[in-house]
């Protein structure tokens, strides 16, 4: 039984929860309200960052959402979420890294600006620049998805998980979206998956 700590409004927790549900892995979810992780000594002993998520599997504790997804997929999803073909897996993992290094900063600017900040206090220049950047980044993804159904091939892999969660926010928050037909079709495919609906297509706050 895998334990997953963290609040379901966290995109990083959603990655792990979508992964366990997608694979049908037995798990227990322990809710940690916003800010609480930094205040609980027992939690800090597992994850000194005081951030969510953290997982535990038979005594093995792990944090960093993408590392958690990799671990769960490698243990329970060989041949599905975790491709056995080395190149396909490297391709999938590349998109996980790209989400963290490239997508997450403009994503945070948009979320902070349009969801967490009152209209009169918004930095519209920063939000506009982040939206422009996101449109450019989704163009890269759109070109890849012109040739395949999912980000690393014709099946869902770990690569789709962080990207899919970023896409949910993109399509849910009111921003000026350029048309990216292949990216939109891929997102449509994700929205048909019960584990995505349940864990990702939820209220933002
Ligand atoms: N790089 C870390 C980032 C973790 C992180 O920033 N988590 C946020 C939620 S998305 C958090 O814990 N915020 C404070 C809180 O929820 O109390 C990961 O991917 O797991």
């Amino acid at each position: 039984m895998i334990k997953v700590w963290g609040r379901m409004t966290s995109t990083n927790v959603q990655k792990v929860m979508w992964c366990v549900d997608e694979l049908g892995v037995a798990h227990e979810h322990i809710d940690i309200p916003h800010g609480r992780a930094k205040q609980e000594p027992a939690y800090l002993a597992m994850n000194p960052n005081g951030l969510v998520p953290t997982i535990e599997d038979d005594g093995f504790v792990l944090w960093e959402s993408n590392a958690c997804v990799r671990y769960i997929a490698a243990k329970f999803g060989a041949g599905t979420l975790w491709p056995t073909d080395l190149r396909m897996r490297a391709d999938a993992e590349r998109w996980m890294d790209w989400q963290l290094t490239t997508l997450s900063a403009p994503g945070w600017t948009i979320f902070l600006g349009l969801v967490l900040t009152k209209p009169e206090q918004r930095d519209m220049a920063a939000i506009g620049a982040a939206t422009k950047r996101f449109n450019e980044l989704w163009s890269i993804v759109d070109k890849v998805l012109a040739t395949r159904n999912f980000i690393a091939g014709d099946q869902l892999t770990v690569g789709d998980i962080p990207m899919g969660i970023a896409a949910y926010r993109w399509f849910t928050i009111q921003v000026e979206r350029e048309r990216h037909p292949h990216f939109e079709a891929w997102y449509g495919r994700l929205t048909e998956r019960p584990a995505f609906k349940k864990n990702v297509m939820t209220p933002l706050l």
Side-chain angles (χ1 to χ4, degrees):
M1 166 82 76
I2 296 220
K3 288 186 179 172
V4 183
W5 283 266
R7 60 187 163 84
M8 285 305 301
T9 48
S10 153
T11 51
N12 290 312
V13 174
Q14 288 172 1
K15 291 175 190 172
V16 178
M17 293 301 291
W18 176 14
C19 182
V20 287
D21 257 347
E22 189 71 45
L23 293 171
V25 175
H27 61 279
E28 178 188 355
H29 172 237
I30 301 126
D31 185 41
I32 308 271
H34 188 262
R36 184 74 61 76
K38 284 200 165 34
Q39 296 165 356
E40 298 267 353
Y43 187 85
L44 286 167
M46 291 192 299
N47 182 343
N49 302 288
L51 296 172
V52 292
T54 299
I55 66 168
E56 189 252 341
D57 178 30
D58 201 15
F60 174 63
V61 173
L62 191 64
W63 43 263
E64 273 303 318
S65 56
N66 284 1
C68 297
V69 167
R70 284 182 168 97
Y71 173 80
I72 294 162
K75 181 163 177 179
F76 300 100
T80 59
L81 282 187
W82 190 247
T84 43
D85 177 79
L86 177 62
R87 291 183 180 184
M88 188 176 178
R89 192 166 73 231
D91 188 358
E93 291 196 75
R94 171 257 305 280
W95 292 108
M96 301 176 82
D97 292 349
W98 193 73
Q99 177 269 324
L100 277 184
T101 59
T102 308
L103 274 187
S104 76
W108 174 247
T109 301
I110 291 171
F111 185 74
L112 177 68
L114 294 179
V115 180
L116 299 180
T117 305
K118 292 187 188 130
E120 63 275 16
Q121 292 170 353
R122 288 176 184 161
D123 180 346
M124 292 313 293
I127 294 166
T131 304
K132 180 171 177 291
R133 176 75 178 134
F134 238 112
N135 274 308
E136 289 163 6
L137 295 171
W138 289 136
S139 296
I140 296 173
V141 174
D142 190 58
K143 284 196 184 71
V144 173
L145 288 167
T147 65
R148 42 180 74 172
N149 283 335
F150 292 95
I151 199 68
D154 279 330
Q155 70 184 56
L156 186 88
T157 67
V158 286
D160 295 284
I161 289 184
M163 303 272 291
I165 290 168
Y168 173 69
R169 284 197 168 176
W170 177 251
F171 285 110
T172 305
I173 299 172
Q174 290 300 311
V175 285
E176 272 190 46
R177 290 184 283 272
E178 289 168 10
R179 297 307 309 269
H180 297 112
H182 308 294
F183 167 63
E184 288 163 23
W186 164 79
Y187 177 69
R189 285 190 279 280
L190 298 185
T191 65
E192 288 162 9
R193 303 186 83 91
F196 185 79
K197 272 197 192 118
K198 179 177 161 200
N199 296 289
V200 184
M201 299 181 74
T202 55
L204 295 177
L205 293 175

